[in-house]
Amino acid sequence: MAESIIKIEGLTKTFGSGATAVTALDNINLDIRQGEIFGIIGLSGAGKSTLVRCMNLLERPTEGKVIVDGMDLTALHEKELRQARQAIGMIFQSFNLLMQRTALDNICFPLELAGVSRKAARERARELLRIVGLEDKEKAYPAQLSGGQQQRVAIARALATNPKVLLCDEATSALDPTTTLSILELLKRLNRDLGVTVVVITHEMKVVEQICHRVVVIDNSRIQEIGTIEEVFRRPKTEAARKLVFPQTEHTVKFSGKGKFLRLAFNGNTTDRPIIAEMVLKCGAPVNIAFADTKVIDGRMVGHMILQMPEEPEIVRKMLSYLDSQNIIYVEER
Amino acid sequence: MNIVEMIPIIVKELWATIYMTLASTLASYILGIPLGLILVVTDSDGIHPNPAVNRVLGGIVNALRSVPFIILTVAVIPVTRFIVGTSIGSTATIVPLVIAATPYIARMVESSVKEVDRGVIEASLSMGASPLQVVLKVLLPEAKPSMIIGAAIATTTILGYSAMAGFVGGGGLGAIAINYGYYRNQTGIMIVMIILLVLIVQIIQEIGNIIARKTDKRIR
Ligand SMILES: Nc1ncnc2c1ncn2[C@@H]1O[C@H](COP(=O)(O)OP(=O)(O)O)[C@@H](O)[C@H]1O
Ligand SMILES: [Mg+2]
């Protein structure tokens, strides 16, 4: 097992005091390993942003320790903490570029803060622009760039000082599905090529599914579930994880018959082949589609569907094994 | 005296007005920018909150801003005499102008700097910026276009104050308006003064707009 790069021990964060106090995080323990892409998923207000902001102490924990690369950040003085932050890159939903600086000068910014000479900084910034595929945009101002391009500049800026960790707070939530995919691919590539540990905060399971190795589900200020993508998404154990994998129940058509209802989730990991039709043909029995809300984005199917299964257990078993073979996530609808 | 005979006086006082306005604006900005920045930085949601400093400075700024300019001019005559040696004339007028304009400019700077996106400040802190680096490398450069527009407004306001000072012994176009246009009842002179003041305001405003537009990179 790889070494730990971020270790969080007994972290609690309370905003305000007295009757109006809000506990955003409640006794969080977490161990993120060097070189992995780690997902933190939860619904809005779950405490994800607060947790990631505690990882570089933009938010100071009320209780607990934050150990990054062997150093307890909560024990550092202001100056040491600023130094430590240069080893932790961060990107945001709204990009947060300096609007009055060019793409190149934005990337130079953290290098200036670190006292790197102007010439060396520009050289490094050009190299990073090349890495994120924007070598022709060095003179462009953020207002002249698309959202996806701005996020690429932000990623380049966050990586300028060679950090060991890249924190991403809803980094793709302001982008369209196609751009989201390309940014996720970039993060994956940077993780592979540079070995940077990536922490991805999101409320969208397709993001986590696309790039994360492990994921933690946060709900109600607490960790509900942690594990590999396989473990958490294919067989969610907690209600919180179920809610994320299978967004809330909609009106479904009720058919007569005793067959069980099965909820299928398509998360962009299947192509738009007619999976249900193939399953029906292969297993030789019909199913009812009680509800469907799927769409195809870039040739990948996204959304979910509720099927009423046949009554015969033998056929149901065959169908489930077919779905397994196709990597379709499903749970029995209660 | 008719208007033609007045031309040399008008030209001289026009320069006096420009001198008073620009010198006061400059001095007020030298004092007002740090003051405005301290107000932003020490605010409860600033990068270095300090409620005591914020409340004291904010209180002084508000107090000075609530005294009408004419009253302030008269009230600070001893200070003016101490600094300039006299309370009459253009240079003497600069003292009350700076005292009146500094708190006003501090508030303008404060409001421009507060427009800087919270997220950008956050991002620079995440990169390890110190409070001073945030001020110098983020707040000031990002707020620059808005501050330039503010400067045009501040300069025209100071121009208006300088004309008012003509009533209480200051020089400039205001003094001509009051001495000839009002006391000697020369309506023509009064109209010429008003036109000149309006023109100067237009020019300053237009220059401000052009510079702001040229420097603002948020515009494609
Ligand atoms: N600065 C703050 N002051 C008070 N409450 C806050 C602050 N930041 C976050 N919270 C509260 O903490 C909870 C978690 O917020 P957040 O971490 O932003 O959630 P998420 O990113 O998962 O949507 C919310 O109830 C939010 O209102
Ligand atoms: Mg959030």
PDB file of all heavy atoms in Angstrom, chain A residues 98-110:
ATOM      1  N   LEU A  98      -6.671  35.564 -11.963  1.00  0.00           N
ATOM      2  CA  LEU A  98      -6.526  37.019 -11.866  1.00  0.00           C
ATOM      3  C   LEU A  98      -6.952  37.600 -13.210  1.00  0.00           C
ATOM      4  O   LEU A  98      -6.326  37.321 -14.236  1.00  0.00           O
ATOM      5  CB  LEU A  98      -5.075  37.380 -11.544  1.00  0.00           C
ATOM      6  CG  LEU A  98      -4.637  36.937 -10.144  1.00  0.00           C
ATOM      7  CD1 LEU A  98      -3.143  36.685 -10.093  1.00  0.00           C
ATOM      8  CD2 LEU A  98      -5.044  37.967  -9.117  1.00  0.00           C
ATOM      9  N   MET A  99      -8.019  38.402 -13.194  1.00  0.00           N
ATOM     10  CA  MET A  99      -8.618  38.860 -14.449  1.00  0.00           C
ATOM     11  C   MET A  99      -7.753  39.880 -15.187  1.00  0.00           C
ATOM     12  O   MET A  99      -7.903  40.089 -16.371  1.00  0.00           O
ATOM     13  CB  MET A  99     -10.000  39.471 -14.192  1.00  0.00           C
ATOM     14  CG  MET A  99     -10.990  38.507 -13.573  1.00  0.00           C
ATOM     15  SD  MET A  99     -11.173  36.977 -14.519  1.00  0.00           S
ATOM     16  CE  MET A  99     -12.266  37.533 -15.830  1.00  0.00           C
ATOM     17  N   GLN A 100      -6.851  40.546 -14.453  1.00  0.00           N
ATOM     18  CA  GLN A 100      -6.028  41.582 -15.068  1.00  0.00           C
ATOM     19  C   GLN A 100      -4.650  41.054 -15.481  1.00  0.00           C
ATOM     20  O   GLN A 100      -3.755  41.822 -15.819  1.00  0.00           O
ATOM     21  CB  GLN A 100      -5.870  42.786 -14.126  1.00  0.00           C
ATOM     22  CG  GLN A 100      -7.177  43.354 -13.595  1.00  0.00           C
ATOM     23  CD  GLN A 100      -8.039  43.983 -14.677  1.00  0.00           C
ATOM     24  OE1 GLN A 100      -7.571  44.287 -15.767  1.00  0.00           O
ATOM     25  NE2 GLN A 100      -9.319  44.161 -14.398  1.00  0.00           N
ATOM     26  N   ARG A 101      -4.477  39.740 -15.431  1.00  0.00           N
ATOM     27  CA  ARG A 101      -3.210  39.139 -15.847  1.00  0.00           C
ATOM     28  C   ARG A 101      -3.454  38.174 -16.995  1.00  0.00           C
ATOM     29  O   ARG A 101      -4.485  37.507 -17.030  1.00  0.00           O
ATOM     30  CB  ARG A 101      -2.596  38.332 -14.698  1.00  0.00           C
ATOM     31  CG  ARG A 101      -1.872  39.151 -13.657  1.00  0.00           C
ATOM     32  CD  ARG A 101      -1.255  38.194 -12.648  1.00  0.00           C
ATOM     33  NE  ARG A 101      -0.520  38.920 -11.633  1.00  0.00           N
ATOM     34  CZ  ARG A 101       0.713  38.614 -11.251  1.00  0.00           C
ATOM     35  NH1 ARG A 101       1.343  37.581 -11.781  1.00  0.00           N
ATOM     36  NH2 ARG A 101       1.315  39.310 -10.327  1.00  0.00           N
ATOM     37  N   THR A 102      -2.470  38.063 -17.882  1.00  0.00           N
ATOM     38  CA  THR A 102      -2.584  37.099 -18.975  1.00  0.00           C
ATOM     39  C   THR A 102      -2.485  35.681 -18.420  1.00  0.00           C
ATOM     40  O   THR A 102      -2.121  35.485 -17.270  1.00  0.00           O
ATOM     41  CB  THR A 102      -1.436  37.280 -19.982  1.00  0.00           C
ATOM     42  OG1 THR A 102      -0.205  37.057 -19.289  1.00  0.00           O
ATOM     43  CG2 THR A 102      -1.431  38.667 -20.597  1.00  0.00           C
ATOM     44  N   ALA A 103      -2.799  34.716 -19.290  1.00  0.00           N
ATOM     45  CA  ALA A 103      -2.694  33.312 -18.898  1.00  0.00           C
ATOM     46  C   ALA A 103      -1.292  33.028 -18.373  1.00  0.00           C
ATOM     47  O   ALA A 103      -1.114  32.435 -17.300  1.00  0.00           O
ATOM     48  CB  ALA A 103      -3.020  32.411 -20.090  1.00  0.00           C
ATOM     49  N   LEU A 104      -0.298  33.489 -19.117  1.00  0.00           N
ATOM     50  CA  LEU A 104       1.091  33.246 -18.723  1.00  0.00           C
ATOM     51  C   LEU A 104       1.390  33.858 -17.349  1.00  0.00           C
ATOM     52  O   LEU A 104       1.982  33.213 -16.477  1.00  0.00           O
ATOM     53  CB  LEU A 104       2.046  33.816 -19.775  1.00  0.00           C
ATOM     54  CG  LEU A 104       3.502  33.386 -19.624  1.00  0.00           C
ATOM     55  CD1 LEU A 104       3.694  31.958 -20.106  1.00  0.00           C
ATOM     56  CD2 LEU A 104       4.434  34.321 -20.371  1.00  0.00           C
ATOM     57  N   ASP A 105       0.968  35.108 -17.156  1.00  0.00           N
ATOM     58  CA  ASP A 105       1.264  35.787 -15.893  1.00  0.00           C
ATOM     59  C   ASP A 105       0.487  35.196 -14.721  1.00  0.00           C
ATOM     60  O   ASP A 105       0.920  35.274 -13.573  1.00  0.00           O
ATOM     61  CB  ASP A 105       0.995  37.287 -16.013  1.00  0.00           C
ATOM     62  CG  ASP A 105       2.068  37.967 -16.866  1.00  0.00           C
ATOM     63  OD1 ASP A 105       3.149  37.370 -17.015  1.00  0.00           O
ATOM     64  OD2 ASP A 105       1.806  39.071 -17.382  1.00  0.00           O
ATOM     65  N   ASN A 106      -0.699  34.627 -15.016  1.00  0.00           N
ATOM     66  CA  ASN A 106      -1.417  33.923 -13.966  1.00  0.00           C
ATOM     67  C   ASN A 106      -0.614  32.736 -13.465  1.00  0.00           C
ATOM     68  O   ASN A 106      -0.546  32.475 -12.265  1.00  0.00           O
ATOM     69  CB  ASN A 106      -2.780  33.440 -14.479  1.00  0.00           C
ATOM     70  CG  ASN A 106      -3.906  34.375 -14.083  1.00  0.00           C
ATOM     71  OD1 ASN A 106      -4.317  34.407 -12.925  1.00  0.00           O
ATOM     72  ND2 ASN A 106      -4.392  35.151 -15.044  1.00  0.00           N
ATOM     73  N   ILE A 107       0.004  32.020 -14.408  1.00  0.00           N
ATOM     74  CA  ILE A 107       0.777  30.843 -14.021  1.00  0.00           C
ATOM     75  C   ILE A 107       2.065  31.264 -13.306  1.00  0.00           C
ATOM     76  O   ILE A 107       2.565  30.565 -12.428  1.00  0.00           O
ATOM     77  CB  ILE A 107       1.066  29.957 -15.248  1.00  0.00           C
ATOM     78  CG1 ILE A 107      -0.263  29.577 -15.914  1.00  0.00           C
ATOM     79  CG2 ILE A 107       1.839  28.708 -14.862  1.00  0.00           C
ATOM     80  CD1 ILE A 107      -0.121  28.909 -17.255  1.00  0.00           C
ATOM     81  N   CYS A 108       2.588  32.434 -13.674  1.00  0.00           N
ATOM     82  CA  CYS A 108       3.787  32.959 -12.998  1.00  0.00           C
ATOM     83  C   CYS A 108       3.501  33.361 -11.553  1.00  0.00           C
ATOM     84  O   CYS A 108       4.412  33.401 -10.722  1.00  0.00           O
ATOM     85  CB  CYS A 108       4.330  34.189 -13.734  1.00  0.00           C
ATOM     86  SG  CYS A 108       5.132  33.785 -15.298  1.00  0.00           S
ATOM     87  N   PHE A 109       2.223  33.660 -11.256  1.00  0.00           N
ATOM     88  CA  PHE A 109       1.869  34.227  -9.958  1.00  0.00           C
ATOM     89  C   PHE A 109       2.392  33.429  -8.752  1.00  0.00           C
ATOM     90  O   PHE A 109       3.098  33.986  -7.896  1.00  0.00           O
ATOM     91  CB  PHE A 109       0.354  34.424  -9.884  1.00  0.00           C
ATOM     92  CG  PHE A 109      -0.136  35.015  -8.606  1.00  0.00           C
ATOM     93  CD1 PHE A 109       0.038  36.361  -8.325  1.00  0.00           C
ATOM     94  CD2 PHE A 109      -0.767  34.223  -7.660  1.00  0.00           C
ATOM     95  CE1 PHE A 109      -0.407  36.909  -7.138  1.00  0.00           C
ATOM     96  CE2 PHE A 109      -1.215  34.757  -6.466  1.00  0.00           C
ATOM     97  CZ  PHE A 109      -1.033  36.092  -6.205  1.00  0.00           C
ATOM     98  N   PRO A 110       2.088  32.117  -8.660  1.00  0.00           N
ATOM     99  CA  PRO A 110       2.590  31.381  -7.491  1.00  0.00           C
ATOM    100  C   PRO A 110       4.119  31.313  -7.464  1.00  0.00           C
ATOM    101  O   PRO A 110       4.719  31.219  -6.384  1.00  0.00           O
ATOM    102  CB  PRO A 110       1.988  29.980  -7.653  1.00  0.00           C
ATOM    103  CG  PRO A 110       1.608  29.877  -9.079  1.00  0.00           C
ATOM    104  CD  PRO A 110       1.278  31.260  -9.539  1.00  0.00           C
TER     105      PRO A 110
END
